[in-house]
Amino acid sequence: MRIDYVINKVAQTHRGQSEGDVAQAIHDQLRAVGVVPNGRQIAQYANAISALPQLPPNATKR
């Protein structure tokens, strides 16, 4: 459950960024919740998240 939470959180905040930045964010956040990251899995998640288009800015923010 913690891994899913972290991946979803990073997918919302880092999508479309470089694969290295995404991987570092996943690694850091997994460590913060007490999960020892698996490098191969982090690379796969980072590759998928970096390929996503960036979200447009929130139109309701003012």
Side-chain angles (χ1 to χ4, degrees):
M1 293 300 286
R2 291 180 284 182
I3 294 172
D4 291 339
Y5 171 77
V6 167
I7 296 303
N8 287 327
K9 185 176 172 184
V10 172
Q12 291 174 12
T13 59
H14 288 76
R15 59 192 298 157
Q17 294 184 14
S18 74
E19 198 170 327
D21 290 345
V22 175
Q24 187 62 49
I26 293 170
H27 183 272
D28 293 345
Q29 291 188 31
L30 284 175
R31 296 293 278 183
V33 296
V35 175
V36 176
N38 176 313
R40 189 172 42 211
Q41 286 181 322
I42 288 177
Q44 289 174 341
Y45 286 128
N47 185 334
I49 292 170
S50 68
L52 295 171
Q54 287 186 337
L55 292 174
N58 190 350
T60 60
K61 281 186 179 178
R62 294 179 192 241

